[in-house]
Amino acid sequence: MPTPESFPIEKIFVPTKMKKAIKPEIVGEIAESILDIGQQAPISVRLDGDRLVLVEGLHRLEACKALGETTIMGVIVPAELAQHKPLLSEGPAVEAERIKMARLKQLRLEKEAAEASTSALKGVNATEAPRTRPTKGVRDNPKAPGNAGSTRRTLSDWITQQKGSGGRY
């Protein structure tokens, strides 16, 4: 296997077909990973005249661009191998990267779920109407005869109101 070397990002040409496959969420996850542990797997490029053409590692390249990096680790592969190389033939390094990315995605989903749960609870508490007990009798029911328009709140007020209206208490 060729030894990885550093390449200037601006010198790497990305084919149009590859650009269509960019997934921003994957770029974000890889950028977080690169910030945490650095670039673990080099990209693959091939020589085409005086320029480098990206063969594999689009999301790693875009993550490095997003982080403001000017160089990226990569290996030069012969054009013949680049055309016939299966995408997932890098072996344990790719599998380790895939496992790490799955772990990062799981952590992100758990964090988002916790935040959503917290915000949902805050929203429920803020919009929940205070609970009142159902009306049971004439004393508690302001629409009942003898209580019409009454704003009495204490027992002594109610007794006074009942005496004034001729009611029994």
Side-chain angles (χ1 to χ4, degrees), residues 2-87:
T3 58
E5 53 187 289
S6 182
F7 297 108
I9 289 177
E10 76 240 6
K11 302 269 187 198
I12 299 173
F13 171 76
V14 180
T16 306
K17 285 183 181 180
M18 289 182 95
K19 287 181 183 179
K20 292 179 182 178
I22 294 175
K23 296 181 181 173
E25 62 275 3
I26 293 175
V27 172
E29 290 173 3
I30 292 175
E32 288 177 21
S33 172
I34 289 173
L35 281 175
D36 289 342
I37 60 175
Q39 183 184 351
Q40 298 296 307
I43 64 169
S44 299
V45 294
R46 66 177 171 83
L47 288 173
D48 183 27
D50 60 345
R51 69 178 182 175
L52 297 168
V53 178
L54 183 68
V55 173
E56 189 173 0
L58 174 66
H59 290 99
R60 284 170 275 169
L61 178 67
E62 292 299 320
C64 285
K65 282 183 186 177
L67 292 172
E69 296 288 330
T70 57
T71 61
I72 187 167
M73 294 301 296
V75 293
I76 296 177
V77 295
E80 302 81 40
L81 290 178
Q83 291 175 356
H84 301 292
K85 180 178 179 184
L87 291 177

Side-chain angles (χ1 to χ4, degrees), residues 90-105:
E90 290 186 20
V94 169
E95 186 61 26
E97 184 76 11
R98 194 172 294 117
I99 290 169
K100 178 179 63 174
M101 295 313 303
R103 185 173 43 91
L104 284 173
K105 183 177 181 180

